[in-house]
Amino acid sequence: MAEGTGRGESLSIWFFVGGLTLLYGIILLPYGAYEWFSGHESSSVLSNLHPTFWWGLLLTLFGGFYTIRFRPGKG
Amino acid sequence: MTALAILLTTQLTHLAPIDILILVLYFVVVLFIGFYVKGSTRTSEEFFLAGREMTAWIAGLSFVSANLGSLELMGWAGAAYQYGMLATHWYWIGAIPAMLFLGIVMMPFYYISKTHSVPGYLQLRFGEGARGVSAVSFAFMTILMSGVNMYSMALVMKVVLGWNISFSIWIGAVTVAIYVMLGGLRSAIINEVLQFVLIWAGAALIPILGLWEAGGWTKLKAQIAVNVGSNDYTHLWTTLGSFKDNPMGVHWTGIVFGLGFVISFGYWTTDFLVVQRILSANNLRAAKMAPVIGAAFKMAVPFIVIIPGLLALAVLRDPHTHQIIRLVGENQVDAAHPYSYNEVLPLMLIRYCGPGLLGLGITALIAGFMSGMAGNVSAFSTVWTYDLYGAFFNKKASDKHYVSMGRWSTVVGMIASIGTAYLVMHAASIMDYVQALFSFFIAPLFGTVILGMLWKRATRSGGFWGLLAGTVSSIAMWLYTTYGGQQALAHIALSLDAKPMAENLYRAFWSWLICVVVTVSVSLVTRPVPEAQLAGLVYGATTIPDDGARSLWQKPIFWAAIVITIFFLLNIIFF
């Protein structure tokens, strides 16, 4: 039984968690890199710290771990 | 309605295409989950209690997330700005002891009685009358609370993006109605776990960057003291010796007894919105562990809610004039003060988040509101179907009919909630509104449930009249203080210096006390319930089954001890 999605279903709730955060990471990471390296930073406070890049990286790692760990068919 | 028509000229910012992509992805996944679990949601047990097959982690995270609606996000961030760190009491003393008590002491009774709802437990313990009173008051409260969540979401859209309030209310409501109607509690729980992670992913950057900008906690405290001219905003307990020494106008007795004992225990142990999540656990040990896990996460939530409110006192400046922006009550908003307390979180979000992160932050806020809405509407549909429709209108319908009723009541509940969302627009502060509701319905209910669980002598008549007296007296006290002026406030809240929040706490305490006194008095003069009928419902008449924990690591009490130790340490650190 997949954890939390009911009898007979193959997708775990943790797969949904990992999948969505990984998608967000994949969107934010390259966008943050583009902002950083092309000098198109937003006018928000502390944008010089490149939060979009670093947060995108964190979400990619977190989401990637959960997506792989709870991928369909694994156990 | 075209996109152009819903955009107003007063918006603070625009969503970039990347923000819209993030937002759309969220709605797609949420709706997909609803359709995905529909196939495994055919029986009433599956629709209303998620088949009772959730693990402790899922039940625990869902337990916290269902509570993490507008009250926790917008409301308490605004309250932190208004009252300072005192708002943290609603997360720590106002939650942690009660959550642990639910897991360790009360959960076995809810779980082994196999009840479908808290009013269902009251029916087993006190009969149909107590169930009727609690089901009606709970249904009423959930609809109102759901409206709070909708209005909060619409407010974010208005402040940040200039979206039309009605458009925002309807889009959130329709989405939640679809996924709860399709997948019932199972769908709601899965989405709530997802929403919990997203709330952190989207909101945690505000305190991280804010503390960076302020130069750390010590410098933040110093800056707040300069900006507001007082040290009172950054302490938990030192200002509570007198009503007039703190911005909330409250005394420590109100915090400890009104909040820490009555409102907190009432909400976390008897509000079916949260208890329903724990009832979905797959065994007794998971049911006991879920609130303990929930408590651990609950202790961390002030980081993303209270800290942003405090940061706004120190660093929120007008980008053009560089003057500190002063936020005001919802009913005091004017040209000179265009933003209310409730808008502090979106303002801070805009301050630190550019394209992409802004979309993530907005998604986090929407996720919070939708988890709050889903929590209310799924609990409403359960209580309506089991405890009102099934108990008083149609007792012998088929299981399939009840599932169908659950689906339809989800839609009806959501439509009623939309109506209440418009009602909330007239409240001066979301928090005042919500606290008033709690004192009406939650405080007396806790008196009835706790006596029912711990006192064998409590009778059915005692439970019914105690609950009714507590609820009616709470509403009467509210009317008295609303129309009776300062003197009335002093009578209820014990001081002329007391402010509305303090009044809520004391009113909750008095209504609980009235409920307990009436329950005890009526019980003592009415015929006791035979002990054989109390098995599985009351301490002393029930053999608690073994929860299967063998090692120390598996014991819920061990983890509860760790959580309560951290709770005390935090209170000492921020004393």
Coordinates of all heavy atoms in Angstrom, one line a residue, chain B residues 99-175:
Chain B
M99 N -1.9 19.6 23.0 CA -1.7 18.6 22.0 C -1.1 17.3 22.6 O -1.5 16.2 22.2 CB -0.8 19.1 20.9 CG -1.4 20.3 20.1 SD -0.2 21.1 19.1 CE -0.2 20.3 17.6
L100 N -0.2 17.4 23.5 CA 0.4 16.3 24.2 C -0.7 15.6 25.0 O -0.7 14.3 25.0 CB 1.6 16.7 25.0 CG 2.7 17.3 24.2 CD1 3.9 17.7 25.2 CD2 3.3 16.4 23.1
F101 N -1.5 16.3 25.7 CA -2.6 15.7 26.5 C -3.5 14.9 25.6 O -4.0 13.8 26.0 CB -3.3 16.9 27.2 CG -4.4 16.4 28.2 CD1 -4.0 15.9 29.5 CD2 -5.7 16.4 27.9 CE1 -5.0 15.5 30.4 CE2 -6.7 16.0 28.8 CZ -6.3 15.5 30.0
L102 N -3.8 15.5 24.5 CA -4.7 14.8 23.5 C -4.1 13.4 23.1 O -4.8 12.4 23.2 CB -4.9 15.6 22.3 CG -5.6 14.9 21.1 CD1 -7.1 14.6 21.4 CD2 -5.5 15.7 19.8
G103 N -2.8 13.5 22.8 CA -2.2 12.2 22.4 C -2.1 11.2 23.5 O -2.4 10.0 23.3
I104 N -1.6 11.6 24.6 CA -1.3 10.6 25.7 C -2.5 10.2 26.5 O -2.7 9.1 26.8 CB -0.2 11.2 26.6 CG1 1.0 11.6 25.8 CG2 0.2 10.2 27.7 CD1 1.7 10.5 25.0
V105 N -3.4 11.2 26.8 CA -4.5 10.9 27.7 C -5.8 10.6 27.0 O -6.5 9.6 27.2 CB -4.7 12.0 28.8 CG1 -5.9 11.7 29.7 CG2 -3.4 12.2 29.5
M106 N -6.2 11.5 26.1 CA -7.5 11.5 25.5 C -7.7 10.6 24.3 O -8.7 10.0 24.0 CB -8.0 12.9 25.2 CG -8.3 13.7 26.4 SD -8.7 15.4 26.1 CE -10.5 15.2 25.6
M107 N -6.6 10.5 23.5 CA -6.8 9.8 22.2 C -7.2 8.3 22.4 O -8.0 7.9 21.6 CB -5.4 9.8 21.5 CG -5.6 9.8 20.0 SD -6.6 11.1 19.4 CE -7.8 10.3 18.4
P108 N -6.7 7.6 23.4 CA -7.2 6.2 23.5 C -8.7 6.1 23.6 O -9.3 5.2 23.0 CB -6.6 5.8 24.8 CG -5.3 6.6 24.9 CD -5.7 7.9 24.4
F109 N -9.4 7.1 24.2 CA -10.8 7.0 24.4 C -11.5 7.3 23.0 O -12.5 6.7 22.7 CB -11.3 8.0 25.5 CG -10.9 7.5 26.8 CD1 -9.7 8.1 27.4 CD2 -11.5 6.5 27.5 CE1 -9.3 7.6 28.6 CE2 -11.1 6.0 28.7 CZ -10.0 6.6 29.2
Y110 N -11.1 8.4 22.4 CA -11.6 8.7 21.0 C -11.4 7.4 20.1 O -12.3 7.0 19.4 CB -10.9 9.9 20.4 CG -11.4 11.2 20.9 CD1 -10.5 12.2 21.2 CD2 -12.8 11.5 21.1 CE1 -10.9 13.5 21.6 CE2 -13.2 12.7 21.5 CZ -12.2 13.7 21.8 OH -12.6 15.0 22.2
Y111 N -10.2 6.9 20.2 CA -9.8 5.9 19.2 C -10.5 4.5 19.5 O -11.1 4.0 18.6 CB -8.3 5.7 19.2 CG -7.8 5.0 17.9 CD1 -7.7 5.7 16.7 CD2 -7.5 3.6 17.9 CE1 -7.3 5.1 15.6 CE2 -7.1 3.0 16.8 CZ -7.0 3.7 15.6 OH -6.6 3.1 14.4
I112 N -10.5 4.1 20.7 CA -11.1 2.8 21.0 C -12.6 2.8 21.0 O -13.3 1.8 20.9 CB -10.6 2.1 22.3 CG1 -10.9 3.0 23.5 CG2 -9.1 1.9 22.2 CD1 -10.4 2.4 24.8
S113 N -13.2 4.0 21.2 CA -14.7 4.0 21.1 C -15.1 3.9 19.7 O -16.3 3.8 19.4 CB -15.2 5.3 21.7 OG -14.9 6.4 20.9
K114 N -14.2 4.0 18.7 CA -14.5 3.9 17.3 C -15.5 4.9 16.8 O -16.3 4.7 15.9 CB -15.0 2.5 16.9 CG -14.0 1.4 17.0 CD -13.0 1.6 15.8 CE -11.8 0.6 16.0 NZ -10.6 1.0 15.2
T115 N -15.5 6.1 17.5 CA -16.4 7.2 17.1 C -16.0 7.8 15.8 O -14.8 7.7 15.4 CB -16.4 8.3 18.2 OG1 -17.4 9.3 17.8 CG2 -15.1 8.9 18.4
H116 N -16.9 8.3 15.1 CA -16.6 9.0 13.8 C -16.4 10.5 14.0 O -15.9 11.2 13.1 CB -17.8 8.8 12.8 CG -18.0 7.4 12.4 ND1 -18.8 6.5 13.0 CD2 -17.4 6.8 11.4 CE1 -18.7 5.4 12.4 NE2 -17.9 5.5 11.4
S117 N -16.8 11.0 15.2 CA -16.6 12.5 15.4 C -16.6 12.8 16.9 O -17.0 11.9 17.7 CB -17.8 13.2 14.7 OG -19.0 12.8 15.3
V118 N -16.3 14.0 17.3 CA -16.4 14.4 18.7 C -17.8 14.4 19.1 O -18.1 13.9 20.2 CB -15.6 15.7 18.9 CG1 -15.9 16.2 20.3 CG2 -14.1 15.5 18.6
P119 N -18.8 15.0 18.4 CA -20.2 14.9 18.8 C -20.6 13.4 18.9 O -21.4 13.1 19.7 CB -20.9 15.6 17.7 CG -19.9 16.6 17.1 CD -18.6 15.9 17.2
G120 N -20.0 12.6 18.1 CA -20.3 11.2 18.1 C -19.9 10.6 19.5 O -20.6 9.7 20.1
Y121 N -18.7 11.0 20.0 CA -18.3 10.6 21.3 C -19.3 11.1 22.4 O -19.6 10.3 23.3 CB -16.9 11.1 21.6 CG -16.5 10.8 23.0 CD1 -16.0 9.5 23.4 CD2 -16.6 11.7 24.1 CE1 -15.6 9.2 24.7 CE2 -16.3 11.5 25.4 CZ -15.8 10.2 25.7 OH -15.5 9.9 27.0
L122 N -19.7 12.3 22.2 CA -20.6 12.9 23.2 C -22.0 12.1 23.2 O -22.6 11.9 24.2 CB -20.9 14.3 22.9 CG -19.8 15.3 23.3 CD1 -20.2 16.7 22.9 CD2 -19.4 15.2 24.7
Q123 N -22.3 11.6 22.0 CA -23.6 10.8 22.0 C -23.4 9.5 22.8 O -24.3 9.1 23.5 CB -23.9 10.5 20.5 CG -25.3 9.9 20.3 CD -25.2 8.3 20.2 OE1 -24.1 7.8 19.8 NE2 -26.2 7.7 20.6
L124 N -22.2 8.9 22.6 CA -22.0 7.6 23.3 C -21.9 7.9 24.8 O -22.4 7.1 25.6 CB -20.7 7.0 22.9 CG -20.6 6.6 21.4 CD1 -19.1 6.2 21.1 CD2 -21.5 5.4 21.2
R125 N -21.4 9.0 25.2 CA -21.2 9.3 26.6 C -22.4 10.0 27.3 O -22.8 9.7 28.4 CB -20.0 10.2 26.8 CG -19.6 10.6 28.2 CD -19.2 9.4 29.1 NE -18.9 9.7 30.4 CZ -19.9 9.8 31.4 NH1 -21.1 9.6 31.1 NH2 -19.5 10.1 32.6
F126 N -23.0 10.9 26.6 CA -24.1 11.8 27.2 C -25.4 11.7 26.5 O -26.4 12.3 26.9 CB -23.6 13.2 27.2 CG -22.5 13.5 28.2 CD1 -21.3 14.1 27.8 CD2 -22.6 13.2 29.6 CE1 -20.3 14.3 28.6 CE2 -21.6 13.5 30.4 CZ -20.4 14.0 30.0
G127 N -25.5 11.0 25.4 CA -26.8 10.9 24.7 C -27.0 11.9 23.6 O -26.1 12.7 23.3
E128 N -28.2 11.8 22.9 CA -28.4 12.5 21.7 C -28.5 14.1 22.0 O -28.1 14.8 21.1 CB -29.8 12.1 21.1 CG -29.7 10.7 20.5 CD -28.9 10.6 19.3 OE1 -28.3 11.6 18.8 OE2 -28.7 9.5 18.8
G129 N -28.9 14.5 23.1 CA -29.1 15.9 23.4 C -27.7 16.6 23.3 O -27.6 17.7 22.6
A130 N -26.7 16.1 24.0 CA -25.4 16.7 24.0 C -24.8 16.6 22.6 O -24.1 17.6 22.1 CB -24.4 16.0 25.0
R131 N -25.0 15.5 21.9 CA -24.5 15.5 20.5 C -25.2 16.6 19.7 O -24.5 17.2 18.9 CB -24.9 14.1 19.9 CG -24.8 14.2 18.4 CD -24.3 12.9 17.7 NE -25.4 12.0 17.5 CZ -25.2 10.8 16.8 NH1 -24.1 10.5 16.3 NH2 -26.3 10.0 16.6
G132 N -26.5 16.8 19.8 CA -27.2 17.8 19.0 C -26.6 19.2 19.2 O -26.3 19.9 18.3
V133 N -26.5 19.5 20.5 CA -26.0 20.9 20.8 C -24.5 21.1 20.3 O -24.2 22.1 19.6 CB -25.9 21.1 22.4 CG1 -25.2 22.4 22.7 CG2 -27.3 21.1 22.9
S134 N -23.7 20.1 20.5 CA -22.3 20.3 20.0 C -22.2 20.2 18.5 O -21.4 20.9 17.9 CB -21.4 19.2 20.6 OG -21.6 17.9 20.1
A135 N -23.0 19.4 17.9 CA -23.0 19.3 16.4 C -23.5 20.6 15.7 O -22.9 21.1 14.8 CB -23.8 18.1 15.9
V136 N -24.5 21.1 16.3 CA -25.1 22.4 15.7 C -24.0 23.5 15.9 O -23.7 24.3 14.9 CB -26.4 22.8 16.3 CG1 -26.8 24.2 16.0 CG2 -27.5 21.8 15.9
S137 N -23.5 23.6 17.1 CA -22.5 24.7 17.3 C -21.3 24.5 16.5 O -20.7 25.5 16.0 CB -22.2 24.9 18.8 OG -21.6 23.7 19.3
F138 N -20.8 23.3 16.4 CA -19.6 23.0 15.6 C -19.8 23.3 14.1 O -19.0 23.9 13.5 CB -19.2 21.5 15.8 CG -17.9 21.2 15.0 CD1 -16.7 21.6 15.5 CD2 -18.0 20.6 13.8 CE1 -15.6 21.4 14.7 CE2 -16.9 20.3 13.0 CZ -15.7 20.7 13.5
A139 N -21.0 22.9 13.6 CA -21.3 23.1 12.2 C -21.3 24.6 11.9 O -20.7 25.1 10.9 CB -22.6 22.5 11.8
F140 N -21.9 25.4 12.8 CA -22.0 26.8 12.7 C -20.6 27.4 12.7 O -20.2 28.3 11.9 CB -22.8 27.4 13.9 CG -23.1 28.8 13.8 CD1 -23.8 29.4 12.8 CD2 -22.7 29.6 14.9 CE1 -24.0 30.8 12.7 CE2 -22.9 31.0 14.8 CZ -23.5 31.6 13.8
M141 N -19.7 27.0 13.7 CA -18.4 27.5 13.8 C -17.5 27.2 12.6 O -16.8 28.0 12.1 CB -17.7 27.0 15.1 CG -16.4 27.6 15.4 SD -15.7 27.1 16.9 CE -15.1 25.5 16.4
T142 N -17.6 26.0 12.1 CA -16.8 25.6 11.0 C -17.1 26.4 9.7 O -16.2 26.8 9.0 CB -16.9 24.1 10.6 OG1 -18.2 23.8 10.5 CG2 -16.2 23.2 11.6
I143 N -18.4 26.7 9.5 CA -18.7 27.5 8.4 C -18.2 28.9 8.5 O -17.6 29.5 7.6 CB -20.3 27.6 8.2 CG1 -20.8 26.2 7.9 CG2 -20.7 28.6 7.1 CD1 -20.3 25.6 6.6
L144 N -18.3 29.5 9.7 CA -17.8 30.8 9.9 C -16.2 30.8 9.8 O -15.7 31.7 9.2 CB -18.1 31.3 11.3 CG -19.6 31.7 11.5 CD1 -19.9 31.9 13.0 CD2 -20.0 32.9 10.8
M145 N -15.6 29.8 10.3 CA -14.1 29.8 10.2 C -13.6 29.6 8.8 O -12.6 30.1 8.3 CB -13.6 28.6 11.1 CG -13.7 28.9 12.5 SD -12.6 30.2 13.1 CE -11.0 29.4 12.9
S146 N -14.4 28.8 8.0 CA -14.0 28.6 6.6 C -14.1 29.9 5.9 O -13.3 30.2 5.0 CB -15.0 27.6 6.0 OG -14.7 27.3 4.7
G147 N -15.1 30.7 6.3 CA -15.3 32.1 5.7 C -14.1 32.9 6.0 O -13.6 33.7 5.2
V148 N -13.5 32.8 7.2 CA -12.3 33.6 7.6 C -11.2 33.2 6.6 O -10.4 34.1 6.2 CB -11.9 33.2 9.0 CG1 -10.5 33.9 9.4 CG2 -12.9 33.7 10.0
N149 N -11.0 31.9 6.4 CA -9.9 31.5 5.5 C -10.1 32.1 4.1 O -9.1 32.5 3.4 CB -9.8 30.0 5.4 CG -9.1 29.5 6.6 OD1 -7.9 29.6 6.7 ND2 -9.8 28.8 7.5
M150 N -11.3 32.0 3.6 CA -11.6 32.6 2.2 C -11.3 34.1 2.2 O -10.6 34.5 1.2 CB -13.0 32.4 1.9 CG -13.3 31.0 1.4 SD -15.0 31.0 1.0 CE -15.4 29.3 1.2
Y151 N -11.8 34.8 3.2 CA -11.6 36.2 3.2 C -10.1 36.6 3.2 O -9.6 37.5 2.6 CB -12.3 36.9 4.3 CG -12.0 38.3 4.5 CD1 -12.3 39.2 3.5 CD2 -11.3 38.8 5.6 CE1 -12.0 40.6 3.6 CE2 -11.0 40.1 5.8 CZ -11.3 41.0 4.8 OH -11.0 42.3 4.9
S152 N -9.3 35.8 4.1 CA -7.9 36.1 4.2 C -7.2 35.9 2.9 O -6.3 36.6 2.5 CB -7.3 35.1 5.2 OG -7.9 35.3 6.5
M153 N -7.5 34.8 2.2 CA -6.9 34.5 0.9 C -7.2 35.7 -0.1 O -6.3 36.1 -0.8 CB -7.4 33.2 0.3 CG -6.7 32.8 -0.9 SD -7.2 31.2 -1.5 CE -8.7 31.6 -2.3
A154 N -8.5 36.1 -0.1 CA -8.9 37.2 -1.0 C -8.1 38.5 -0.6 O -7.7 39.2 -1.5 CB -10.4 37.4 -0.9
L155 N -7.9 38.7 0.7 CA -7.2 39.9 1.1 C -5.7 39.9 0.6 O -5.2 40.9 0.2 CB -7.2 39.9 2.6 CG -6.9 41.2 3.3 CD1 -7.9 42.3 2.9 CD2 -6.8 41.0 4.8
V156 N -5.1 38.7 0.6 CA -3.7 38.6 0.1 C -3.7 39.0 -1.4 O -2.9 39.7 -1.8 CB -3.2 37.2 0.3 CG1 -1.8 37.0 -0.5 CG2 -3.0 36.8 1.7
M157 N -4.7 38.4 -2.1 CA -4.8 38.7 -3.5 C -5.0 40.2 -3.8 O -4.5 40.8 -4.7 CB -5.9 37.9 -4.2 CG -5.6 36.4 -4.1 SD -3.9 36.1 -4.7 CE -3.9 34.4 -4.7
K158 N -5.8 40.8 -2.9 CA -6.1 42.2 -3.1 C -4.9 43.0 -2.8 O -4.5 43.9 -3.6 CB -7.2 42.6 -2.2 CG -7.7 44.1 -2.4 CD -8.4 44.6 -1.2 CE -7.5 45.2 -0.2 NZ -8.1 45.9 1.0
V159 N -4.2 42.8 -1.7 CA -3.0 43.6 -1.3 C -1.9 43.4 -2.3 O -1.3 44.4 -2.7 CB -2.6 43.2 0.1 CG1 -1.3 43.9 0.5 CG2 -3.7 43.5 1.1
V160 N -1.6 42.1 -2.6 CA -0.4 41.9 -3.4 C -0.6 42.1 -4.9 O 0.2 42.7 -5.5 CB 0.1 40.4 -3.2 CG1 1.3 40.1 -4.0 CG2 0.3 40.2 -1.7
L161 N -1.7 41.6 -5.4 CA -1.9 41.6 -6.8 C -3.0 42.6 -7.3 O -3.2 42.7 -8.5 CB -2.2 40.2 -7.3 CG -1.1 39.2 -6.8 CD1 -1.6 37.8 -7.1 CD2 0.2 39.4 -7.5
G162 N -3.8 43.1 -6.4 CA -4.9 43.9 -6.8 C -6.1 43.2 -7.3 O -6.9 43.7 -8.0
W163 N -6.1 41.8 -7.1 CA -7.2 41.1 -7.6 C -8.5 41.4 -6.8 O -8.5 41.8 -5.7 CB -7.0 39.6 -7.4 CG -6.0 39.0 -8.4 CD1 -5.2 39.7 -9.2 CD2 -5.7 37.6 -8.6 NE1 -4.5 38.8 -10.0 CE2 -4.8 37.5 -9.6 CE3 -6.2 36.4 -8.0 CZ2 -4.3 36.3 -10.1 CZ3 -5.7 35.2 -8.5 CH2 -4.7 35.2 -9.5
N164 N -9.6 41.2 -7.6 CA -10.9 41.4 -7.0 C -11.2 40.4 -5.9 O -10.9 39.2 -6.0 CB -11.9 41.3 -8.1 CG -13.3 41.4 -7.7 OD1 -13.9 40.5 -7.1 ND2 -13.9 42.5 -7.9
I165 N -11.7 40.9 -4.8 CA -12.0 40.0 -3.6 C -12.9 38.9 -3.9 O -12.6 37.7 -3.6 CB -12.6 40.9 -2.5 CG1 -11.6 41.8 -1.9 CG2 -13.3 40.0 -1.4 CD1 -11.0 41.4 -0.6
S166 N -14.0 39.1 -4.7 CA -14.9 38.1 -5.0 C -14.3 37.0 -5.9 O -14.5 35.8 -5.6 CB -16.2 38.6 -5.7 OG -16.9 39.4 -4.7
F167 N -13.5 37.4 -6.8 CA -12.9 36.5 -7.7 C -12.0 35.5 -6.9 O -12.0 34.3 -7.1 CB -12.1 37.2 -8.8 CG -11.3 36.3 -9.7 CD1 -11.8 35.6 -10.7 CD2 -9.9 36.1 -9.4 CE1 -11.1 34.8 -11.6 CE2 -9.1 35.3 -10.2 CZ -9.7 34.6 -11.3
S168 N -11.2 36.1 -6.0 CA -10.3 35.3 -5.2 C -11.0 34.3 -4.3 O -10.6 33.1 -4.2 CB -9.4 36.2 -4.4 OG -8.7 37.1 -5.2
I169 N -12.1 34.8 -3.7 CA -12.9 33.9 -2.8 C -13.4 32.7 -3.6 O -13.3 31.6 -3.2 CB -14.1 34.7 -2.2 CG1 -13.5 35.6 -1.1 CG2 -15.1 33.8 -1.7 CD1 -14.6 36.5 -0.5
W170 N -14.0 33.0 -4.8 CA -14.6 31.9 -5.5 C -13.6 30.9 -6.1 O -13.9 29.7 -6.1 CB -15.5 32.5 -6.7 CG -16.8 33.0 -6.1 CD1 -17.1 34.2 -5.6 CD2 -18.0 32.2 -5.9 NE1 -18.4 34.3 -5.2 CE2 -19.0 33.1 -5.4 CE3 -18.4 30.9 -6.2 CZ2 -20.3 32.7 -5.1 CZ3 -19.7 30.5 -5.9 CH2 -20.6 31.3 -5.4
I171 N -12.5 31.4 -6.5 CA -11.5 30.4 -7.1 C -10.9 29.4 -6.1 O -10.8 28.2 -6.3 CB -10.4 31.1 -7.9 CG1 -9.7 30.2 -8.9 CG2 -9.3 31.7 -7.0 CD1 -9.0 30.8 -10.0
G172 N -10.7 30.0 -4.9 CA -10.2 29.1 -3.8 C -11.3 28.1 -3.3 O -11.0 26.9 -3.1
A173 N -12.5 28.7 -3.2 CA -13.6 27.8 -2.7 C -13.9 26.7 -3.7 O -14.1 25.5 -3.3 CB -14.8 28.7 -2.5
V174 N -14.0 27.0 -5.0 CA -14.3 26.0 -5.9 C -13.2 24.9 -6.0 O -13.6 23.7 -6.0 CB -14.5 26.6 -7.3 CG1 -14.6 25.5 -8.4 CG2 -15.8 27.4 -7.4
T175 N -12.0 25.3 -5.9 CA -10.9 24.2 -5.9 C -11.0 23.3 -4.7 O -11.0 22.1 -4.8 CB -9.5 24.9 -5.9 OG1 -9.5 25.9 -6.9 CG2 -8.4 23.9 -6.0

